[in-house]
Amino acid sequence: MSPFHYAHEALVADGVPLADIAAEVGTPCYVYAASTMRERIRAFRQAFRGGPEPLFCYAVKANSNLAVIRLFAQEGAGADTVSGGEIARALAAGVAPSRIVYAGIAKTDEEIRFALQTGILQFNVESTQELLRIAEIAAGMGKTAPVALRINPDVAAGTHDKISTGRKHDKFGIPWDEAGEVFALAQRLEGIEPLGLHLHIGSQITRLEPFEAAYRRAVDLFVALRTAGVPLRRLDLGGGFGVPYKDEPRVEAEAFADLVRRLTRGLDVELVFEPGRSLVAEAGVILSQVIYLKEAGGRRFLVLDSGMNVLIRPAMYGAYHAVLPVREPRPDEELVPMDVVGPICESSDVLGRDRLLPLLRPGDLVAITGAGAYGSVMASHYNSRPSAAEVLVERGRFAVIKPHLPPERQFADERIPDWLGGSGKD
Ligand SMILES: *Cc1c(COP(=O)(O)O)cnc(C)c1O
């Protein structure tokens, strides 16, 4: 059951009325329900019970607030990171280095050094160039980098073009037919211990077939490489599990675990998964306030205090997010179609078209659902609006896990050079 539901004609989150949070914290703010996050990670772990336990590395980029990372660490998860900044966040949140994996196509020397010093579980290497760079840096530090090669399996994930990563023209990973060669190189390099195979084919994948196609290829390659003498012991199968934003099917943990067990039967291997979205998307809403109900050009616009600056997914991917009034509409209340729009000076700042909503008034509250993943992490200061606070709710209590950042704080570090009449100094 969703933690967000109506009780006594008001929308509540894990037992806390959203209107109370708005009154205390202000709007817009993200509200995350801890119960949903716990439920999701537990479902994955539970689905694999009875066999060797896979390592679930929470993909930090989906929602990288320290409190969220800490919650998953508490639930036994590690962290999947794509930058030095994300490794630093994972460490700050209390994730053990031995449970951190690190992907990303643009690892810099500085980031590589930091990851080696930290002693992370595994580098997921995306190119020969990167492999050579890691080898050189590791050897120079007298260290050995544990490496999985990220292979591009050339499968279509059947998801939105902008979130597909496993087709051959995508920028991610090492081409399938070069894998043997690059592993052979990795085995010869000082400073590198090649121990795994990695793939991640995209995001918001709602059917099992693309996973099956990619995983099958990965297992075949894994076996072939082992036969060829590469001592592989870990298979990192990425994330990408879809969630219902509207009426899409969910990738069910049990069915997924069955598939993985079937494909990896008899293979002596450590499994790693990197779920991001599926653990947090449905745990979050954006609590927003109506500024105006405007009529123009024969349309009705519900103008909110939050838009693409707080949730860019509709503008960027044409994504659907439901908009719920915080005060429950009466059964006989008239619902009228309206376009829900944000405050940003861009025509693409539309959260939803033709949504059936009651005739709300300025000051009324709405909740934009499915905003726990790729919401706050993709927020911007565009238009210098106050950035949204983040709130975590659990069993009737709530805490601000990131306060609003007012515009004065956003430009506090900017400097006017002395030739423009500024002091030029810090
Ligand atoms: C983004 C990403 C993930 C998580 O994807 P979700 O769709 O959020 O589950 C996992 N692994 C890698 C390498 C990624 O880049």
Side-chain angles (χ1 to χ4, degrees), residues 312-399:
I312 204 172
R313 298 188 69 260
M316 191 148 137
Y317 312 121
Y320 178 92
H321 288 265
V323 180
L324 304 175
V326 166
R327 176 187 62 75
E328 186 175 23
R330 295 180 305 274
D332 61 345
E333 193 165 345
E334 190 195 5
L335 302 180
V336 293
M338 53 187 88
D339 292 348
V340 181
V341 303
I344 301 300
C345 300
E346 295 283 341
S347 293
S348 57
D349 187 24
V350 176
L351 292 169
R353 296 245 184 235
D354 289 318
R355 300 303 176 82
L356 284 178
L357 288 163
L359 287 168
L360 297 168
R361 283 199 290 268
D364 284 347
L365 298 168
V366 298
I368 301 152
T369 68
Y374 305 109
S376 55
V377 287
M378 294 173 104
S380 76
H381 291 159
Y382 189 34
N383 283 202
S384 294
R385 306 190 63 81
S387 69
E390 294 176 83
V391 172
L392 186 70
V393 182
E394 182 150 37
R395 277 177 279 125
R397 61 191 162 170
F398 70 92

Side-chain angles (χ1 to χ4, degrees), residues 4-167:
F4 301 101
H5 56 89
Y6 290 107
H8 309 292
E9 286 113 51
L11 200 57
V12 299
D14 265 355
V16 181
L18 287 173
D20 291 0
I21 297 177
E24 194 166 323
V25 180
T27 61
C29 68
Y30 305 88
V31 179
Y32 309 131
S35 62
T36 300
M37 300 187 199
R38 294 194 197 278
E39 214 171 83
R40 294 286 181 269
I41 183 71
R42 286 176 190 176
F44 270 118
R45 294 191 61 191
Q46 182 73 6
F48 281 90
R49 75 199 168 279
E53 181 158 29
L55 175 61
F56 289 95
C57 288
Y58 166 58
V60 164
K61 75 171 189 283
N63 184 328
S64 42
N65 188 291
L66 295 188
V68 173
I69 304 173
R70 167 68 64 92
L71 182 147
F72 287 117
Q74 231 183 41
E75 291 287 333
D80 168 45
T81 62
V82 294
S83 69
E86 285 192 352
I87 295 174
R89 275 185 180 275
L91 295 172
V95 181
S98 61
R99 301 171 82 78
I100 297 176
V101 297
Y102 174 29
I105 64 163
K107 301 182 186 77
T108 64
D109 292 8
E110 200 184 344
E111 290 177 308
I112 292 167
R113 242 176 259 119
F114 174 49
L116 284 165
Q117 260 149 16
T118 301
I120 61 167
L121 178 68
Q122 170 177 303
F123 289 77
N124 289 334
V125 171
E126 308 233 11
S127 67
T128 307
Q129 293 76 0
E130 179 193 327
L131 181 69
L132 293 169
R133 190 74 67 79
I134 294 174
E136 192 181 321
I137 296 172
M141 293 169 69
K143 292 190 182 283
T144 302
V147 159
L149 295 187
R150 176 172 181 176
I151 301 299
N152 183 325
D154 192 22
V155 297
T159 181
H160 191 283
D161 180 59
K162 287 184 181 157
I163 49 176
S164 290
T165 58
R167 302 161 303 182

